[in-house]
Amino acid sequence: MSDVHKNDLTDFEGKQLPFFVVSPLKFGVMTFFTLGFYWLYCFYQSWKLHGVRTGEKVSPFWRSAFAVFFIYPLLRRVNDHIRESGRTYPWSILGLTLGYYGMCAAWVAASVILDDQLWAAYFAGVVIQAAWLVILVPMQKGANFSAGDEAGVANSRFTLANWLWMLLAAVTTAAQ
């Protein structure tokens, strides 16, 4: 599986994936260099896969558009899936959610405080984007674990589409 193309919602063995799988390295690189949009894509795909697998009426688009409100519910479903399989995963979904909220607050504060300082705001944004990965990567590792692929081997290769996403973000950022 390299990203979920053509509605392929199964792993290599043909089993329904419970949540989106991607290697931590690819996830981190893509999230950083797409300014967080790749994380939203992964979040969307996880909700989509969860809805297909369980039949639960979820709207992946709206849950991604308002992701800040749906992080904990998704992580709770991932954790429930892990427990239903008889396994446990060493994470704190509440801690990760609160960490995410803290990073959101840091980003907003930096934006307000550094509003008229272009280079300082840019530097703060880069640092906050990198720090955000400390929270987001463990979330993705948990989703990978729930699917039986903690290392995300099934989706570890960078595709042409991945490189184009990063290029688009770089060009957009440079144009500002």
Side-chain angles (χ1 to χ4, degrees):
M1 174 183 85
S2 74
D3 292 337
V4 178
H5 293 296
K6 299 179 189 152
N7 249 358
D8 182 12
L9 306 175
T10 59
D11 64 11
F12 287 128
E13 299 170 355
K15 293 187 296 187
Q16 178 71 46
L17 287 171
F19 300 98
F20 189 72
V21 172
V22 61
S23 76
L25 175 64
K26 180 178 177 180
F27 178 82
V29 169
M30 288 292 300
T31 297
F32 185 82
F33 287 105
T34 62
L35 310 174
F37 285 105
Y38 188 74
W39 174 76
L40 287 174
Y41 171 78
C42 295
F43 194 75
Y44 171 89
Q45 291 295 349
S46 282
W47 276 115
K48 180 178 175 182
L49 288 163
H50 171 73
V52 168
R53 182 180 57 82
T54 64
E56 183 179 351
K57 300 288 185 216
V58 296
S59 174
F61 175 80
W62 290 113
R63 287 181 186 236
S64 298
F66 296 100
V68 70
F69 300 112
F70 293 101
I71 292 170
Y72 185 81
L74 180 64
L75 294 179
R76 193 184 76 237
R77 284 166 175 83
V78 170
N79 201 51
D80 290 347
H81 181 75
I82 292 169
R83 288 183 179 185
E84 289 166 6
S85 71
R87 301 174 298 155
T88 60
Y89 189 70
W91 64 346
S92 168
I93 60 175
L94 179 59
L96 290 171
T97 303
L98 293 175
Y100 182 84
Y101 294 155
M103 294 309 301
C104 289
W107 179 74
V108 169
S111 297
V112 170
I113 293 167
L114 302 172
D115 182 41
D116 59 345
Q117 302 172 40
L118 179 65
W119 287 108
Y122 179 77
F123 179 74
V126 168
V127 169
I128 291 169
Q129 181 72 7
W132 228 316
L133 294 175
V134 172
I135 303 299
L136 297 176
V137 168
M139 289 181 186
Q140 185 58 50
K141 283 183 175 179
N144 291 351
F145 181 82
S146 75
D149 186 1
E150 188 171 4
V153 174
N155 185 9
S156 59
R157 191 176 57 82
F158 286 86
T159 64
L160 177 60
N162 297 147
W163 290 108
L164 291 174
W165 271 47
M166 290 188 286
L167 179 63
L168 177 64
V171 168
T172 304
T173 302
Q176 294 179 359

